[in-house]
Coordinates of all heavy atoms in Angstrom, one line a residue:
M17 N 60.1 62.2 3.1 CA 59.2 61.4 2.3 C 58.5 60.4 3.0 O 57.4 60.1 3.0 CB 60.0 60.9 1.1 CG 59.2 60.0 0.2 SD 58.0 61.1 -0.7 CE 57.3 60.0 -1.8
K18 N 59.4 59.7 3.9 CA 58.9 58.6 4.8 C 57.9 59.2 5.8 O 56.8 58.5 6.0 CB 60.0 57.9 5.5 CG 60.8 57.0 4.6 CD 61.8 56.3 5.4 CE 62.8 55.5 4.5 NZ 63.8 54.8 5.1
L19 N 58.2 60.4 6.3 CA 57.2 61.0 7.3 C 55.9 61.3 6.7 O 54.8 61.1 7.2 CB 57.9 62.2 7.9 CG 57.0 62.9 9.0 CD1 56.8 62.0 10.2 CD2 57.7 64.2 9.3
A20 N 55.9 61.9 5.5 CA 54.6 62.1 4.8 C 53.9 60.8 4.5 O 52.6 60.9 4.6 CB 55.0 62.9 3.5
F21 N 54.5 59.9 4.1 CA 53.9 58.6 3.8 C 53.2 58.0 5.1 O 52.1 57.5 5.0 CB 54.8 57.5 3.2 CG 54.2 56.2 2.9 CD1 53.3 56.1 1.8 CD2 54.4 55.1 3.7 CE1 52.7 54.8 1.6 CE2 53.9 53.9 3.5 CZ 53.0 53.7 2.4
A22 N 54.0 58.0 6.2 CA 53.4 57.6 7.5 C 52.3 58.4 7.9 O 51.3 57.9 8.4 CB 54.5 57.5 8.5
T23 N 52.4 59.6 7.7 CA 51.3 60.5 8.1 C 50.0 60.3 7.2 O 48.9 60.1 7.8 CB 51.6 62.1 8.0 OG1 52.8 62.3 8.7 CG2 50.5 62.9 8.4
L24 N 50.2 60.2 6.0 CA 49.1 59.8 5.1 C 48.5 58.4 5.4 O 47.3 58.2 5.5 CB 49.6 59.8 3.7 CG 48.5 59.5 2.5 CD1 47.5 60.6 2.6 CD2 49.2 59.5 1.2
L25 N 49.3 57.5 5.7 CA 48.8 56.1 6.1 C 48.1 56.2 7.5 O 46.9 55.6 7.5 CB 50.0 55.2 6.4 CG 49.6 53.6 6.6 CD1 48.8 53.1 5.4 CD2 50.9 52.9 6.7
M26 N 48.5 57.0 8.3 CA 47.8 57.1 9.6 C 46.4 57.8 9.4 O 45.4 57.4 10.0 CB 48.6 57.9 10.7 CG 49.9 57.1 11.2 SD 49.4 55.5 11.9 CE 48.7 56.2 13.4
L27 N 46.4 58.8 8.6 CA 45.2 59.5 8.3 C 44.1 58.6 7.6 O 42.9 58.6 8.0 CB 45.4 60.7 7.4 CG 44.3 61.6 7.0 CD1 43.7 62.2 8.2 CD2 44.7 62.7 6.1
L28 N 44.6 57.9 6.7 CA 43.7 56.9 6.0 C 43.2 55.8 6.9 O 42.0 55.5 7.0 CB 44.5 56.2 4.8 CG 43.7 55.2 4.0 CD1 42.6 55.9 3.3 CD2 44.7 54.5 3.0
L29 N 44.0 55.3 7.8 CA 43.6 54.2 8.8 C 42.6 54.8 9.8 O 41.6 54.1 10.1 CB 44.8 53.7 9.5 CG 45.7 52.7 8.7 CD1 46.9 52.4 9.6 CD2 44.9 51.5 8.4
S30 N 42.8 56.1 10.3 CA 41.8 56.6 11.2 C 40.6 57.0 10.4 O 39.4 56.7 11.1 CB 42.4 57.9 11.8 OG 42.4 59.0 10.9
L31 N 40.5 57.2 9.2 CA 39.3 57.5 8.4 C 38.5 56.3 8.3 O 37.3 56.2 8.4 CB 39.7 58.1 7.0 CG 38.5 58.8 6.3 CD1 38.3 60.1 7.0 CD2 39.0 59.0 4.9
V32 N 39.2 55.2 7.9 CA 38.5 53.9 7.7 C 38.0 53.4 9.0 O 36.8 53.0 9.1 CB 39.5 52.8 7.1 CG1 39.0 51.5 7.1 CG2 39.9 53.3 5.7
S33 N 38.7 53.5 10.1 CA 38.2 52.9 11.4 C 37.0 53.7 11.8 O 36.1 53.2 12.4 CB 39.4 52.8 12.4 OG 39.8 54.2 12.7
S34 N 37.1 55.1 11.7 CA 36.0 55.9 12.2 C 34.7 55.6 11.4 O 33.5 55.6 11.9 CB 36.3 57.3 12.1 OG 36.4 57.8 10.7
S35 N 34.8 55.4 10.1 CA 33.7 55.0 9.3 C 33.1 53.7 9.7 O 31.9 53.5 9.7 CB 33.9 55.0 7.7 OG 34.8 54.1 7.4
F36 N 33.9 52.7 10.0 CA 33.5 51.4 10.5 C 32.8 51.6 11.8 O 31.7 51.0 12.0 CB 34.7 50.5 10.6 CG 34.3 49.1 11.3 CD1 33.6 48.2 10.4 CD2 34.5 48.8 12.6 CE1 33.2 47.0 11.1 CE2 34.2 47.7 13.2 CZ 33.5 46.7 12.3
I37 N 33.3 52.4 12.7 CA 32.7 52.6 14.0 C 31.3 53.3 13.8 O 30.4 52.8 14.4 CB 33.5 53.4 14.9 CG1 34.7 52.5 15.4 CG2 32.9 53.9 16.2 CD1 35.8 53.3 16.0
Q38 N 31.2 54.3 12.9 CA 29.9 54.9 12.7 C 28.9 53.9 12.1 O 27.8 54.0 12.5 CB 30.1 56.1 11.7 CG 30.8 57.3 12.4 CD 31.1 58.5 11.5 OE1 31.0 58.3 10.2 NE2 31.7 59.5 11.9
T39 N 29.3 53.1 11.2 CA 28.4 52.1 10.6 C 27.8 51.2 11.6 O 26.7 50.8 11.7 CB 29.1 51.3 9.4 OG1 29.6 52.2 8.6 CG2 28.2 50.3 8.8
T40 N 28.8 50.6 12.5 CA 28.4 49.7 13.5 C 27.5 50.4 14.6 O 26.5 49.8 14.8 CB 29.6 49.3 14.3 OG1 30.6 48.6 13.4 CG2 29.3 48.2 15.4
M41 N 27.8 51.6 14.9 CA 26.9 52.3 15.9 C 25.7 52.6 15.2 O 24.6 52.5 15.9 CB 27.6 53.6 16.3 CG 28.8 53.4 17.1 SD 28.6 52.3 18.5 CE 27.7 53.4 19.6
A42 N 25.5 52.9 13.9 CA 24.3 53.2 13.3 C 23.4 52.0 13.2 O 22.2 52.0 13.4 CB 24.5 53.8 11.9
A43 N 24.1 50.8 13.0 CA 23.3 49.5 12.9 C 22.8 49.1 14.3 O 21.6 48.6 14.4 CB 24.3 48.5 12.4
A44 N 23.5 49.5 15.3 CA 23.1 49.1 16.6 C 22.2 50.1 17.2 O 21.7 50.0 18.4 CB 24.4 49.0 17.6
S45 N 21.9 51.2 16.6 CA 21.0 52.3 17.1 C 19.5 52.0 17.0 O 18.7 52.6 17.8 CB 21.3 53.7 16.5 OG 20.9 53.6 15.2
G46 N 19.1 51.2 16.2 CA 17.7 50.7 16.1 C 17.1 49.7 17.2 O 17.6 49.7 18.3
S47 N 16.3 48.9 16.7 CA 15.7 47.9 17.6 C 16.8 46.9 18.1 O 16.9 46.5 19.3 CB 14.7 47.1 16.9 OG 15.1 46.4 15.9
C48 N 17.9 46.7 17.2 CA 19.0 45.9 17.6 C 19.7 46.6 18.8 O 20.2 45.9 19.7 CB 19.9 45.6 16.4 SG 19.4 44.4 15.2
G49 N 19.9 47.8 18.7 CA 20.6 48.6 19.7 C 19.9 48.5 21.1 O 20.6 48.3 22.1
K50 N 18.6 48.5 21.1 CA 17.9 48.4 22.3 C 18.0 46.9 22.9 O 18.3 46.8 24.1 CB 16.4 48.7 22.2 CG 16.2 50.1 21.9 CD 14.7 50.5 21.6 CE 14.5 51.8 21.2 NZ 13.2 52.2 20.7
K51 N 17.8 46.0 22.0 CA 18.0 44.6 22.4 C 19.3 44.2 23.0 O 19.6 43.6 23.9 CB 17.5 43.7 21.3 CG 16.1 43.7 21.0 CD 15.8 42.8 19.8 CE 14.3 42.9 19.4 NZ 14.0 42.2 18.2
C52 N 20.4 44.7 22.2 CA 21.7 44.4 22.6 C 22.2 45.2 23.9 O 23.0 44.8 24.6 CB 22.6 44.9 21.5 SG 22.6 43.7 20.0
G53 N 21.5 46.4 24.0 CA 21.8 47.1 25.2 C 21.4 46.3 26.5 O 22.1 46.2 27.6
V54 N 20.2 45.6 26.4 CA 19.8 44.8 27.4 C 20.6 43.5 27.5 O 21.1 43.2 28.6 CB 18.3 44.4 27.2 CG1 17.9 43.3 28.3 CG2 17.4 45.6 27.3
R55 N 20.9 42.9 26.5 CA 21.7 41.7 26.4 C 23.1 41.9 27.0 O 23.7 41.1 27.7 CB 21.9 41.3 24.9 CG 22.6 40.0 24.8 CD 21.8 38.7 25.0 NE 22.6 37.6 24.9 CZ 22.1 36.4 25.3 NH1 20.9 36.3 25.9 NH2 22.7 35.3 25.2
C56 N 23.7 43.1 26.8 CA 25.0 43.4 27.2 C 25.2 44.2 28.5 O 26.2 44.7 28.9 CB 25.8 44.2 26.1 SG 26.0 43.1 24.5
S57 N 24.0 44.5 29.1 CA 24.0 45.4 30.3 C 24.9 44.9 31.4 O 25.5 45.7 32.1 CB 22.7 45.5 30.8 OG 22.1 44.3 31.3
K58 N 25.2 43.6 31.5 CA 26.1 43.1 32.6 C 27.5 42.6 32.1 O 28.1 42.0 32.9 CB 25.4 42.1 33.4 CG 24.1 42.4 34.1 CD 23.6 41.3 34.9 CE 22.2 41.8 35.6 NZ 21.7 40.7 36.4
A59 N 27.8 43.0 30.9 CA 29.1 42.5 30.3 C 30.2 43.2 30.8 O 30.0 44.4 31.0 CB 28.9 42.6 28.7
G60 N 31.3 42.5 31.0 CA 32.5 43.2 31.6 C 33.1 44.1 30.4 O 33.6 45.2 30.8
M61 N 33.0 43.8 29.0 CA 33.5 44.5 28.0 C 32.3 45.0 27.2 O 32.0 44.4 26.2 CB 34.6 43.8 27.2 CG 35.7 43.5 28.1 SD 37.3 43.2 27.4 CE 37.4 41.8 26.5
K62 N 31.6 45.9 27.6 CA 30.3 46.4 27.2 C 30.4 46.8 25.7 O 29.5 46.4 24.9 CB 29.7 47.4 27.9 CG 28.2 47.6 27.7 CD 27.5 48.5 28.8 CE 27.5 47.8 30.2 NZ 26.6 48.5 31.0
D63 N 31.5 47.5 25.3 CA 31.5 48.0 24.0 C 31.6 46.9 23.0 O 31.1 46.8 21.9 CB 32.7 48.9 23.8 CG 32.6 50.3 24.5 OD1 31.4 50.6 24.9 OD2 33.6 51.0 24.8
R64 N 32.6 45.8 23.3 CA 32.8 44.8 22.4 C 31.5 43.9 22.3 O 31.1 43.5 21.3 CB 33.9 43.9 23.1 CG 34.2 42.7 22.1 CD 35.3 41.8 22.6 NE 36.6 42.5 22.6 CZ 37.7 42.0 22.9 NH1 37.7 40.8 23.5 NH2 38.7 42.7 22.8
C65 N 30.8 43.8 23.5 CA 29.6 42.9 23.5 C 28.5 43.6 22.6 O 27.9 42.9 21.8 CB 29.0 42.9 25.0 SG 27.5 41.9 25.1
I66 N 28.3 44.9 22.7 CA 27.3 45.6 21.9 C 27.7 45.5 20.4 O 26.9 45.4 19.5 CB 27.1 47.0 22.4 CG1 26.4 47.0 23.8 CG2 26.4 47.8 21.3 CD1 26.3 48.3 24.4
K67 N 29.0 45.6 20.2 CA 29.4 45.6 18.7 C 29.1 44.2 18.1 O 28.5 44.2 17.0 CB 31.0 45.8 18.6 CG 31.6 45.6 17.3 CD 33.1 45.6 17.3 CE 33.6 45.2 16.0 NZ 35.2 45.2 16.1
Y68 N 29.5 43.1 18.6 CA 29.2 41.8 18.2 C 27.7 41.5 18.2 O 27.2 40.7 17.3 CB 30.1 40.8 18.8 CG 31.5 40.9 18.4 CD1 32.5 41.3 19.2 CD2 31.9 40.6 17.0 CE1 33.8 41.5 18.8 CE2 33.1 40.8 16.6 CZ 34.1 41.2 17.5 OH 35.4 41.4 17.1
C69 N 27.1 41.9 19.2 CA 25.6 41.6 19.3 C 25.0 42.3 18.2 O 24.0 41.8 17.6 CB 25.1 42.2 20.7 SG 23.3 41.9 20.9
G70 N 25.3 43.6 17.9 CA 24.8 44.4 16.8 C 24.9 43.7 15.5 O 24.0 43.6 14.6
I71 N 26.1 43.1 15.3 CA 26.5 42.5 14.0 C 25.6 41.2 14.0 O 24.8 41.0 12.8 CB 28.0 42.1 13.9 CG1 28.8 43.3 13.8 CG2 28.1 41.0 12.8 CD1 30.3 43.1 13.9
C72 N 25.5 40.5 14.9 CA 24.7 39.2 15.0 C 23.2 39.6 14.7 O 22.5 38.8 14.1 CB 24.9 38.4 16.2 SG 26.6 37.8 16.3
C73 N 22.7 40.6 15.5 CA 21.3 41.0 15.3 C 20.9 41.3 13.9 O 19.9 40.9 13.4 CB 21.0 42.1 16.3 SG 19.3 42.7 16.2
L74 N 21.8 42.1 13.3 CA 21.6 42.5 11.9 C 21.5 41.3 11.0 O 20.6 41.3 10.0 CB 22.7 43.4 11.3 CG 22.5 44.8 11.9 CD1 23.6 45.7 11.5 CD2 21.2 45.5 11.5
Q75 N 22.3 40.3 11.2 CA 22.4 39.1 10.3 C 21.2 38.1 10.7 O 20.7 37.4 9.8 CB 23.7 38.4 10.5 CG 24.8 39.2 9.9 CD 26.3 38.6 10.1 OE1 26.4 37.6 10.9 NE2 27.2 39.1 9.6
C76 N 20.8 38.0 12.0 CA 19.9 37.1 12.4 C 18.5 37.7 12.6 O 17.6 36.8 12.7 CB 20.4 36.3 13.7 SG 22.0 35.5 13.5
N77 N 18.3 38.8 12.7 CA 17.1 39.6 13.0 C 16.5 39.2 14.4 O 15.3 39.1 14.5 CB 16.1 39.3 11.8 CG 16.5 39.9 10.6 OD1 17.0 41.1 10.5 ND2 16.4 39.2 9.5
C78 N 17.3 38.8 15.2 CA 16.9 38.5 16.6 C 18.0 38.5 17.6 O 19.2 38.4 17.2 CB 16.2 37.0 16.6 SG 17.2 35.7 16.2
V79 N 17.7 38.7 18.8 CA 18.6 38.6 20.0 C 17.9 37.9 21.1 O 16.8 38.2 21.5 CB 19.0 40.1 20.4 CG1 19.8 40.0 21.6 CG2 19.6 40.9 19.4
P80 N 18.7 36.9 21.7 CA 18.0 36.2 22.8 C 17.7 37.0 24.0 O 18.3 38.2 24.2 CB 19.1 35.2 23.2 CG 20.0 35.1 22.1 CD 19.9 36.5 21.4
S81 N 16.6 36.7 24.7 CA 16.2 37.6 25.8 C 17.2 37.4 26.9 O 18.0 36.5 27.0 CB 14.9 37.2 26.3 OG 14.8 35.8 26.7
G82 N 17.2 38.3 28.0 CA 18.1 38.2 29.1 C 19.5 38.7 28.8 O 19.9 39.1 27.7
T83 N 20.4 38.6 29.8 CA 21.7 39.0 29.7 C 22.7 37.9 29.4 O 23.8 38.2 29.1 CB 22.2 39.7 31.0 OG1 22.0 38.8 32.1 CG2 21.4 40.9 31.4
Y84 N 22.2 36.7 29.6 CA 23.1 35.5 29.3 C 22.3 34.3 28.9 O 21.0 34.2 29.5 CB 23.9 35.2 30.6 CG 25.1 34.2 30.3 CD1 26.1 34.4 29.6 CD2 24.8 32.8 30.7 CE1 27.1 33.4 29.5 CE2 25.7 31.8 30.4 CZ 26.8 32.1 29.8 OH 27.8 31.1 29.6
G85 N 22.8 33.4 28.1 CA 22.1 32.1 27.7 C 20.9 32.5 26.9 O 20.8 33.4 26.1
N86 N 19.9 31.6 27.0 CA 18.6 31.6 26.2 C 18.9 31.7 24.6 O 18.1 32.1 23.8 CB 17.8 32.9 26.5 CG 17.4 32.8 28.0 OD1 17.1 31.8 28.5 ND2 17.4 34.1 28.6
K87 N 20.0 31.2 24.1 CA 20.3 31.2 22.8 C 19.4 30.3 21.9 O 19.4 30.5 20.7 CB 21.9 31.0 22.5 CG 22.8 32.1 23.0 CD 24.3 31.8 22.6 CE 25.2 33.0 23.0 NZ 26.5 32.7 22.6
H88 N 18.8 29.5 22.5 CA 17.9 28.5 21.8 C 16.7 29.4 21.2 O 16.1 28.9 20.3 CB 17.3 27.4 22.8 CG 16.5 28.0 23.9 ND1 17.2 28.5 25.0 CD2 15.2 28.1 24.0 CE1 16.1 29.0 25.8 NE2 15.0 28.7 25.3
E89 N 16.5 30.5 21.7 CA 15.4 31.3 21.2 C 15.8 31.9 19.9 O 14.9 32.3 19.0 CB 15.2 32.6 22.2 CG 14.7 32.2 23.4 CD 14.6 33.4 24.4 OE1 15.0 34.5 24.0 OE2 14.1 33.2 25.5
C90 N 17.0 31.9 19.4 CA 17.5 32.5 18.2 C 18.6 31.5 17.6 O 19.7 31.7 17.8 CB 18.0 33.8 18.4 SG 18.4 34.7 16.8
P91 N 18.2 30.5 16.9 CA 19.3 29.5 16.4 C 20.4 30.1 15.5 O 21.5 29.8 15.6 CB 18.3 28.5 15.6 CG 17.0 28.6 16.0 CD 16.9 30.1 16.6
C92 N 20.1 31.1 14.7 CA 21.1 31.6 13.9 C 22.1 32.3 14.8 O 23.3 32.2 14.5 CB 20.4 32.8 13.0 SG 21.5 33.9 12.1
Y93 N 21.6 33.1 15.8 CA 22.5 33.8 16.8 C 23.3 32.7 17.5 O 24.5 32.9 17.6 CB 21.6 34.5 17.7 CG 22.2 35.6 18.6 CD1 22.3 36.9 18.3 CD2 22.8 35.2 19.9 CE1 22.9 37.8 19.1 CE2 23.3 36.1 20.6 CZ 23.4 37.4 20.3 OH 23.9 38.4 21.1
M94 N 22.7 31.6 17.8 CA 23.4 30.5 18.6 C 24.4 29.8 17.6 O 25.7 29.5 18.2 CB 22.4 29.4 19.1 CG 22.9 28.3 19.7 SD 21.7 27.1 20.3 CE 20.9 26.7 18.7
N95 N 24.3 29.8 16.4 CA 25.1 28.9 15.4 C 26.3 29.7 14.9 O 27.2 29.2 14.4 CB 24.3 28.2 14.4 CG 23.4 27.2 15.0 OD1 23.7 26.6 16.1 ND2 22.2 27.1 14.4
K96 N 26.2 31.1 15.1 CA 27.4 31.9 14.5 C 28.7 31.6 15.3 O 28.7 31.6 16.5 CB 27.0 33.3 14.6 CG 26.0 33.6 13.5 CD 26.2 35.1 13.1 CE 25.4 35.3 11.8 NZ 25.8 34.6 10.6
K97 N 29.7 31.3 14.5 CA 31.1 31.0 15.1 C 32.0 32.0 14.6 O 32.0 32.4 13.5 CB 31.5 29.6 14.8 CG 30.5 28.5 15.2 CD 30.5 28.3 16.7 CE 29.5 27.1 17.0 NZ 28.8 27.3 18.3
N98 N 33.1 32.2 15.4 CA 34.2 33.1 15.0 C 35.3 32.2 14.3 O 35.0 31.1 14.1 CB 34.7 33.9 16.0 CG 35.5 33.1 17.2 OD1 35.8 31.9 17.0 ND2 35.7 33.7 18.4
S99 N 36.3 32.7 13.9 CA 37.4 32.0 13.2 C 38.0 30.9 14.0 O 38.6 30.0 13.4 CB 38.5 32.9 12.6 OG 39.1 33.7 13.7
K100 N 37.9 31.0 15.3 CA 38.4 30.0 16.1 C 37.3 28.9 16.6 O 37.7 28.1 17.3 CB 39.0 30.7 17.4 CG 40.2 31.6 17.1 CD 40.6 32.3 18.4 CE 41.8 33.3 18.1 NZ 42.3 34.0 19.2
G101 N 36.3 29.1 15.9 CA 35.2 28.0 16.3 C 34.5 28.2 17.5 O 33.6 27.4 17.9
K102 N 34.6 29.4 18.1 CA 33.9 29.7 19.3 C 32.7 30.6 19.0 O 32.7 31.2 17.9 CB 34.8 30.4 20.3 CG 36.1 29.6 20.7 CD 36.7 30.2 22.0 CE 37.9 29.3 22.3 NZ 38.1 29.0 23.6
P103 N 31.7 30.7 20.0 CA 30.5 31.5 19.7 C 30.9 32.9 19.4 O 31.7 33.5 20.1 CB 29.8 31.4 20.9 CG 30.2 30.2 21.6 CD 31.6 30.0 21.3
K104 N 30.3 33.5 18.2 CA 30.6 34.8 17.9 C 29.7 35.8 18.6 O 30.1 36.9 19.0 CB 30.4 35.0 16.4 CG 30.6 36.5 15.9 CD 30.5 36.4 14.4 CE 30.9 37.8 13.8 NZ 31.0 37.7 12.4
C105 N 28.5 35.4 18.8 CA 27.4 36.3 19.4 C 27.3 36.2 20.9 O 27.3 35.0 21.5 CB 26.2 36.0 18.8 SG 26.1 36.0 17.0
P106 N 27.4 37.3 21.6 CA 27.4 37.2 23.1 C 26.0 36.8 23.7 O 25.0 37.0 23.0 CB 27.7 38.7 23.5 CG 27.3 39.5 22.2 CD 27.5 38.7 21.1

């Protein structure tokens, strides 16, 4: 019984995570995807950078130019903070 429950739970978690990844990738595939690709081209953790850049782009409708800095070009992007008070957008 415990094995069946654990298997079901793992299946459910993988289903939820895969749908989240597909949604994030679909959001990043449009103009945000191109802009975030440029923005994150030199990032050490490119997947994470593209994920958060895509989220910020969708919410703010802009991505700063270049691979670093220039956040003054997009105040919404610049002002987004994570739960620890640090910048959310790369």
Side-chain angles (χ1 to χ4, degrees):
M17 182 68 176
K18 289 181 181 179
L19 181 61
F21 179 72
T23 304
L24 183 62
L25 184 62
M26 291 300 290
L27 181 62
L28 182 63
L29 286 174
S30 74
L31 198 74
V32 169
S33 66
S34 69
S35 67
F36 174 74
I37 290 169
Q38 288 175 353
T39 303
T40 304
M41 294 306 287
S45 65
S47 65
C48 285
K50 292 176 186 175
K51 292 176 184 177
C52 289
V54 172
R55 182 81 180 165
C56 297
S57 64
K58 294 183 180 179
M61 299 207 287
K62 200 173 281 192
D63 292 341
R64 182 183 287 178
C65 180
I66 288 175
K67 174 186 171 185
Y68 288 110
C69 179
I71 291 169
C72 293
C73 178
L74 287 174
Q75 292 175 353
C76 298
N77 296 318
C78 62
V79 174
S81 62
T83 57
Y84 185 79
N86 302 321
K87 289 187 178 182
H88 63 278
E89 297 174 355
C90 185
C92 169
Y93 193 97
M94 176 177 61
N95 295 328
K96 288 213 166 289
K97 305 289 183 208
N98 65 17
S99 61
K100 296 178 182 176
K102 297 195 180 222
K104 179 175 186 168
C105 306

